[in-house]
Amino acid sequence: MDLAHRPVTLALAAPFRISRSTDVEVELVWVELHAGGEVGYGEAQPQDHYGESVASATDFLEQAEPLLGDDPFALEEIGARLAELPGERAAKCALDAALHDLCGKLCGQPVWRLLGVPRSSPPTSFTIWLGDPDDMAARAARVDAEGRFRRLKLKLGARDGLDVERVRAVRAVSGRPLQVDVNEYWTVDEALDAIPELATLGVEYVEQPLPAGDPGGALLRERSPLPVYLDEDCHTLEDVPACAERGHGITIKLAKSGGIREAIRMVHAARALGLGVMIGCMIESGLGIAAGCPVASLCDHVDLDGNLLLADDPWPGVALVDGVQLPSDGPGLGVTRPVGAP
Ligand code: MG
């Protein structure tokens, strides 16, 4: 198989603030794999939080090319060879997505049919990024009025004592189902104070309240009146058993797992341990989101709004239908290469 890759920078529709960072643009790597007269596409969103960058992803892809072989259907064997190279999950995710896209195109089938999973999934949440309580409420009210989304995810963790007020302000203007994501910015005591109040405001679950690996995780699991979902604590299959000790569910992202194949292993491991399963995303184009859609159909909760936070999504294919991110019924990932792509 021939591999090509290129870095791309896309602008966000508005600055996106969470507990630890604010982004105005996103740096991605687009991957193309050629075999049998078809082209498979995939996208990497390297995570600086995990020591990845466009440069490190690009270096990895250079090293990975000779390990791919000639058979795109040999997914297990290719995955084992790539696993010999450490880290770089986002770049591995891009290759895994491109392989699935290629296999689907060679068979003339969408990836979701190839995997034998439903096309549709639970509705995606839309993320209300971190701001002052009034500002978050104003944005939530606008999203509510547009009527495109059926649930909202509120980013918390400002360390200003106002996180519960943020949720109260949004609840005053929106009756939608709510979830919150603290991105590791509470202590155990803060979490034990805030979560009961969030429960009275109708919040359904809390994502990553504590820092990854925080020793208070098991205590919070025992005492929290709301389910705790673990994102920064849970990257790949080997992280799932420990999550059963400190949470009620896991948040899978393809950029952390290294792709669709590992994500599906994680879903099944989580089910065996009695954990809930959510799929999230980074800020990605429709190409990245298209790879998440088939996994979303196996999850309880879906947060695949990354492409909808961009100023312009260059990869049409996934459609937001009645709040659900619905993949195309075209072959492979079903996305269309952008006109004028570099
Ligand atoms: Mg999260």
Side-chain angles (χ1 to χ4, degrees), residues 115-130:
L115 296 172
V117 299
R119 181 179 179 191
S120 193
S121 64
T124 182
S125 50
F126 183 75
T127 304
I128 304 295
W129 58 89
L130 188 54

Side-chain angles (χ1 to χ4, degrees), residues 290-320:
C293 285
V295 181
S297 69
L298 300 173
C299 296
D300 304 304
H301 304 289
V302 174
D303 177 35
L304 288 182
D305 62 349
N307 62 324
L308 305 169
L309 301 168
L310 296 173
D312 288 298
D313 178 5
W315 289 83
V318 176
L320 183 69

